[in-house]
Amino acid sequence: MKEVNYVITDPEGIHARPAGELVKLAKGFESGIKIVKDGKAADCKKIFGIMGLGVKKGHEITMQVEGADEETAIAAIEAFLKENL
Amino acid sequence: MLVFRGKSVFGGIAIGKISVYKKKEQQVKRVKIENADAEIVRYNEAREAAIEQLGALYEKALKEVGEANAAIFEIHQMMLEDDDYNESVENIIRTQMVNAEYAVASTADNFSSMFAAMDDDYMKARAADVKDISERLLTVLGEMEDAKNAAGDAAASASGAMAKDVMADGAGTEDATGEEGASGKERFIIVADDLAPSETVQLDKEKVLSFVTAHGSTNSHTAILARTMGIPALIGTGIALDESVDGKLGVVDGQEGVIYVDPDLEILEKMQEKRRKEMEEKELLQTLRGKENVTKDGQKIMLYANIGDIKDLAMVLKNDAGGIGLFRSEFIYLEKEDYPTEEEQFQIYKTVAQTMAGKRVIIRTLDIGADKQCDYFHMEKEENPALGRRAIRICLTQPEVFKTQLRALFRASAYGKVAIMYPMIANLWEVQKIKEIVNEVKRELAENGIAFGEPEQGIMIETPAAVMMSEELAREVDFFSIGTNDLTQYTLAIDRQNSSLDLFYDAHHPAVLRMIAMVVENAHKAGIWAGICGELGADGSLTKEFLAMGVDELSVSPGSILPLRKIVRESYNSRPDRP
């Protein structure tokens, strides 16, 4: 399993739009992708789960990727976070 | 006359006929079913159809209101593809052996109450999205039923209820009478409980004069759309949604947050006058473009813009700023996961310098710390960050970070009139130390044959210490810019972010105004100029006083430039040392 930590810098946090983009990205990979905040995990392929975490600016999240394409998935997700959040 | 008060989302006056928008009541009956699998198939058919509709809405919104506002329909598609949502619906169908409509309605209640309970206004507003997609599903399910029961009945309407007056296309566009808008269509004040995104996009924008909702939040789609369209809008007015309002003449005062229904003559005339003035004001401001910032007796002042991002440049040009008085370079750092490289910074500074084409661009060096934090700086937690390691204090203790930025700035100044400004100065030696580092940077650039310019270098005056030392500091630099936000907080010893201290926080405190006067005087004694780049600079009630003090420059948000120019041009210089 691959993991990456990230602290949100976007002033609005993970609101609907980036959550949607994250889902789109995650669905492109075979691996299971989880987003964890304060010990609560959500499936990155489900928009309600991500939005339900209520991730805001300054929150630290951990992305956990496990599966056949975890190497490329984690790299893509890390790049996405840096670029958009 | 009826009067309702609410929160204003966008200012301005609208006068026109009210059209009440009412949702079709989606009455959901709980019906026992025999075959859960068949019901799930039915649900999935409806879901596919709903996703398809959303795709069409996305395309329509894209053309009408732009990508940012259209994205919501993509999100709605994702919500309908969300496993959690669908599993919940299927689960209810299976375990309770009930119809899909009932399962959708229950799921909608559960999911929207999850969002409504969240401690975040933005997310609370998303409860409306859940209801929107669920209602869409219910409509489709209902239509599938209707089609089955009355096969071949072509008259069945395809969409839910819309305010008949403002339907974009299809049924309901009756001949309108009365005052017509520029497009030749009558325009209406739309009154609704709240509008879902899919509803707002189906409105004919040319017929909308204003939005007024009974509920809704400032983050709701209606509010966002009103801001994009730049039309007056009120939310949370608690307005009635019946015939006491529908079809009546309405007046929306977006400044005061009031809607008058059936206004009496006195109010109507007052509001017509207010609207006329507002239009004049708007036009007048535009006529001020290209005009000088000069008082009636000839005193000039520079009006510059504050920007926090390269994206703000368009607003700077649109509002005819004389230059950029504060370019907050920290956004370059805050957006990154690691120190931005010299090249990255150089490209940004160069773009700004070139865009401003010879106008002065004052770039403030890194000002992080206190409320602006960057992880990769690995700063230790401080008891009192406002008085801690921030701004120039970081630069002087991490000179390699500082030098990277300085190199980029000196290189960019070969492409325009760049000026560098150093924040949070409290000591004379800090300025002298900066100069040593600057000299090293220039020597290195010259040795490597890299082109660079000779930017002006100034400091921010935002500590009481710098004010008291301004006579000495003025001899070391090319200009002063007074950062009134921090200066006020440090002078009054009040945390400006603590709203419980509002009683004690006086932005016009004589101590601060005297300090500004002192700084300007000391600057002029040394033959340099002094400006203000804090929020106080945009305070029109102080402009005359600043002119009297001899302040040379005000740097304000782009939208404040033309209003300030108007004040300046209407002023007489009241400086006591001049006739």
Side-chain angles (χ1 to χ4, degrees):
Chain A
M1 188 181 67
K2 298 275 170 204
E3 264 193 18
V4 59
N5 291 321
Y6 183 79
V7 177
I8 304 298
T9 59
D10 188 284
E12 291 186 58
I14 305 188
H15 55 96
R17 203 178 139 98
E21 282 166 9
L22 193 55
V23 170
K24 253 200 269 181
L25 180 72
K27 281 190 167 174
F29 295 102
E30 206 179 292
S31 299
I33 302 175
K34 274 188 185 151
I35 170 169
V36 187
K37 191 202 104 189
D38 295 338
K40 267 197 347 194
D43 185 337
C44 228
K45 297 181 182 178
K46 298 178 182 179
I47 192 160
F48 283 123
I50 298 178
M51 287 171 71
L53 289 177
V55 181
K56 289 188 226 159
K57 186 183 172 179
H59 286 167
E60 182 166 19
I61 55 166
T62 306
M63 307 295 300
Q64 296 173 341
V65 184
E66 190 162 16
D69 53 3
E70 60 184 31
E71 290 282 350
T72 41
I74 196 91
I77 282 175
E78 194 172 2
F80 173 85
L81 292 173
K82 284 180 181 171
E83 180 82 7
N84 297 289
L85 288 162
Chain B
M1 181 173 77
L2 296 171
V3 182
F4 300 93
R5 285 170 200 282
K7 203 167 165 190
S8 172
V9 180
F10 198 87
I13 309 281
I15 303 175
K17 199 162 140 190
I18 295 173
S19 179
V20 171
Y21 173 88
K22 262 190 172 165
K23 288 187 210 307
K24 186 166 75 179
E25 284 288 312
Q26 302 257 22
Q27 290 225 338
V28 174
K29 286 200 193 107
R30 190 173 193 273
V31 180
K32 276 275 174 195
I33 50 147
E34 300 294 319
N35 186 340
D37 287 330
E39 196 62 13
I40 288 169
V41 168
R42 204 179 139 245
Y43 167 68
N44 280 321
E45 278 172 19
R47 203 166 61 85
E48 295 296 331
I51 289 171
E52 206 170 297
Q53 285 178 2
L54 284 165
L57 277 177
Y58 175 81
E59 294 299 327
K60 178 164 162 32
L62 196 62
K63 282 188 219 117
E64 286 183 2
V65 288
E67 210 265 327
N69 287 306
I72 190 71
F73 299 109
E74 264 192 326
I75 310 278
H76 281 188
Q77 284 183 319
M78 276 178 202
M79 288 179 167
L80 284 178
E81 283 162 4
D82 188 280
D83 293 345
D84 289 334
Y85 186 91
N86 293 321
E87 275 162 21
S88 165
V89 173
E90 288 174 21
N91 208 20
I92 292 171
I93 294 176
R94 247 181 237 293
T95 54
Q96 302 184 30
M97 292 303 279
V98 288
N99 54 330
E101 284 89 341
Y102 181 80
V104 167
S106 309
T107 302
D109 283 346
N110 295 342
F111 277 74
S112 64
S113 53
M114 169 185 88
F115 282 120
M118 282 172 80
D119 176 28
D120 177 327
D121 285 341
Y122 183 86
M123 286 301 176
K124 276 183 187 166
R126 302 284 74 76
D129 291 327
V130 178
K131 288 195 180 132
D132 195 9
I133 59 156
S134 305
E135 269 162 23
R136 178 171 301 284
L137 280 172
L138 292 176
T139 305
V140 176
L141 283 165
E143 281 164 9
M144 283 163 47
E145 254 342 78
D146 291 349
K148 219 164 54 186
N149 295 340
D153 183 359
S157 162
S159 64
M162 301 297 298
K164 62 182 189 314
D165 301 315
V166 282
M167 276 281 286
D169 31 47
T173 37
E174 296 161 8
D175 285 336
T177 49
E179 192 185 337
E180 292 190 341
S183 57
K185 295 172 180 168
E186 186 178 12
R187 301 171 73 204
F188 295 88
I189 295 168
I190 306 299
V191 168
D193 184 49
D194 193 9
L195 291 167
S198 61
E199 293 165 336
T200 51
V201 81
Q202 283 171 50
L203 298 174
D204 182 348
K205 306 297 173 295
E206 288 182 350
K207 291 184 178 179
V208 181
L209 208 51
S210 169
F211 288 117
V212 176
T213 66
H215 299 100
S217 77
T218 43
N219 284 317
S220 71
H221 197 77
T222 316
I224 296 165
L225 186 72
R227 283 190 213 108
T228 314
M229 290 169 67
I231 60 173
L234 309 179
I235 54 163
T237 55
I239 192 166
L241 299 170
D242 50 29
E243 56 285 355
S244 70
V245 168
D246 198 15
K248 301 278 169 63
L249 180 67
V251 176
V252 178
D253 184 340
Q255 288 162 7
E256 303 295 329
V258 182
I259 173 166
Y260 303 91
V261 180
D262 251 345
D264 54 40
L265 199 62
E266 193 190 339
I267 291 282
L268 186 62
E269 280 175 357
K270 206 175 111 190
M271 288 297 146
Q272 280 168 337
E273 176 63 16
K274 205 168 169 181
R275 185 175 62 170
R276 200 180 54 75
K277 279 210 176 121
E278 195 185 81
M279 305 290 273
E280 271 179 17
E281 188 86 347
K282 244 189 202 161
E283 280 169 27
L284 184 73
L285 286 180
Q286 285 310 309
T287 64
L288 286 170
R289 285 177 51 95
K291 296 265 167 67
E292 259 193 311
N293 309 306
V294 61
T295 62
K296 288 188 170 179
D297 52 348
Q299 186 186 346
K300 288 182 190 171
I301 189 163
M302 301 181 276
L303 295 179
Y304 287 0
N306 291 343
I307 64 171
D309 197 320
I310 202 156
K311 290 182 216 133
D312 302 334
L313 279 173
M315 286 300 285
V316 171
L317 298 174
K318 191 171 161 231
N319 288 285
D320 198 26
I324 290 170
L326 169 60
F327 176 34
R328 302 182 181 92
S329 66
E330 50 273 14
F331 89 90
I332 303 169
Y333 294 80
L334 294 170
E335 278 182 349
K336 305 289 289 190
E337 273 297 280
D338 203 347
Y339 296 100
T341 64
E342 177 185 328
E343 198 56 32
E344 279 171 323
Q345 295 194 55
F346 167 66
Q347 289 302 337
I348 292 169
Y349 304 145
K350 181 179 144 188
T351 304
V352 178
Q354 286 180 328
T355 307
M356 293 307 291
K359 288 179 178 161
R360 191 183 267 137
V361 176
I362 302 175
I363 301 172
R364 176 172 72 188
T365 57
L366 179 63
D367 186 8
I368 64 162
D371 51 346
K372 289 172 270 186
Q373 293 289 343
C374 265
D375 284 337
Y376 54 86
F377 275 85
H378 300 298
M379 308 229 286
E380 280 174 27
K381 263 217 160 8
E382 295 178 287
E383 282 282 302
N384 203 340
L387 304 179
R389 257 170 67 82
R390 51 177 294 197
I392 204 69
R393 297 169 186 174
I394 294 175
C395 291
L396 291 177
T397 44
Q398 286 178 256
E400 64 295 347
V401 175
F402 192 33
K403 280 173 80 172
T404 303
Q405 184 172 29
L406 286 173
R407 263 197 304 273
L409 286 167
F410 271 83
R411 286 173 57 197
S413 62
Y415 296 87
K417 192 173 178 184
V418 173
I420 305 175
M421 176 158 79
Y422 305 104
M424 274 301 282
I425 300 293
N427 297 286
L428 195 57
W429 69 260
E430 289 162 350
V431 177
Q432 286 154 350
K433 181 76 193 166
I434 291 168
K435 284 185 168 174
E436 276 175 36
I437 297 174
V438 162
N439 284 334
E440 274 174 48
V441 165
K442 280 161 71 173
R443 197 173 54 237
E444 285 163 16
L445 287 172
E447 277 169 8
N448 292 309
I450 299 168
F452 63 95
E454 280 293 345
E456 290 176 286
Q457 294 177 74
I459 56 173
M460 283 193 69
I461 303 288
E462 53 189 333
T463 64
V467 175
M468 301 313 288
M469 296 299 292
S470 51
E471 190 172 355
E472 288 79 5
L473 287 166
R475 294 187 206 119
E476 303 284 335
V477 298
D478 298 319
F479 65 90
F480 284 159
S481 188
I482 305 168
T484 50
N485 300 0
D486 272 330
L487 183 59
T488 308
Q489 123 165 316
Y490 293 138
T491 302
L492 304 184
I494 286 182
D495 177 359
R496 62 180 150 136
Q497 276 154 3
N498 184 343
S499 58
S500 68
L501 293 171
D502 284 353
L503 174 64
F504 302 96
Y505 188 91
D506 177 8
H508 293 191
H509 198 293
V512 177
L513 296 177
R514 281 186 205 174
M515 284 182 159
I516 295 172
M518 181 177 169
V519 171
V520 175
E521 195 186 326
N522 283 329
H524 291 177
K525 253 197 272 181
I528 65 169
W529 63 268
I532 295 174
C533 65
E535 274 161 39
L536 218 50
D539 186 336
S541 66
L542 289 173
T543 309
K544 281 184 184 157
E545 200 162 344
F546 291 148
L547 284 163
M549 288 176 189
V551 172
D552 299 286
E553 176 243 21
L554 296 173
S555 190
V556 296
S557 62
S560 296
I561 288 175
L562 293 175
L564 280 180
R565 176 171 296 166
K566 183 166 181 275
I567 296 173
V568 169
R569 292 176 64 84
E570 285 166 359
S571 300
Y572 272 105
N573 180 355
S574 53
R575 281 172 83 172
D577 59 337
R578 287 198 197 164

